[in-house]
Amino acid sequence: MKTQMQLQKGIKLFNSGKYHEAHEEFEACWNESYRDDEKKWYQALVQCAAALHLLRQGNAFGANKVWHKAINNFQGAPAQFKGIKVSRLKLDLKMIFDNCVDGRTAFKEPKISLN
């Protein structure tokens, strides 16, 4: 129950563009999870939020590095995880990171879509 509340709070923060704060909530879910596959997918959410935070700060190199770690952690993830449309999130973020290589390019802030 606590993890679900943290996840919902993290999603709200993420969708509001508060990536650092969302990162903290997703990290709490990651720390609470016992299943290895879930831990990996929560960690991917942590990394997605961290990458967007870094990108917004102008650190494109660091953002891309963290984004690639998230891609690896999303491997094997279902199309939907805990109500999150993972495949949609990955696609939206891929478009951002494919186009924002310099850290100065404006990007449309992604939203986590739910079922």
Side-chain angles (χ1 to χ4, degrees), residues 5-73:
M5 288 175 23
Q6 291 168 314
L7 179 61
Q8 293 302 319
K9 185 175 179 186
I11 291 169
K12 255 187 198 177
L13 290 164
F14 186 98
N15 287 347
S16 298
K18 297 177 180 173
Y19 302 119
H20 181 72
E21 294 87 346
H23 159 275
E24 296 296 325
E25 294 300 323
F26 295 147
E27 191 169 57
C29 296
W30 175 56
N31 287 328
E32 293 286 322
S33 182
Y34 295 101
R35 290 182 39 202
D36 286 341
D37 57 346
E38 280 191 1
K39 282 188 92 62
K40 196 165 93 166
W41 301 329
Y42 280 126
Q43 187 177 26
L45 290 173
V46 169
Q47 292 163 330
C48 289
L52 288 166
H53 176 72
L54 288 169
L55 189 60
R56 184 183 282 156
Q57 299 298 314
N59 183 352
F61 177 79
N64 275 292
K65 194 171 176 180
V66 175
W67 164 238
H68 285 286
K69 289 179 182 180
I71 291 169
N72 287 333
N73 280 322

Side-chain angles (χ1 to χ4, degrees), residues 97-114:
F97 285 100
D98 283 353
N99 294 310
C100 294
V101 293
D102 63 2
R104 289 182 281 260
T105 307
F107 61 93
K108 181 178 180 235
E109 296 193 356
K111 304 286 186 216
I112 293 177
S113 300
L114 302 171

Side-chain angles (χ1 to χ4, degrees), residues 74-94:
F74 269 135
Q75 295 223 356
Q80 297 183 22
F81 169 67
K82 302 287 183 181
I84 296 171
K85 294 181 180 177
V86 174
S87 54
R88 173 66 189 261
L89 178 61
K90 289 182 349 186
L91 181 64
D92 290 349
L93 292 173
K94 181 181 180 334

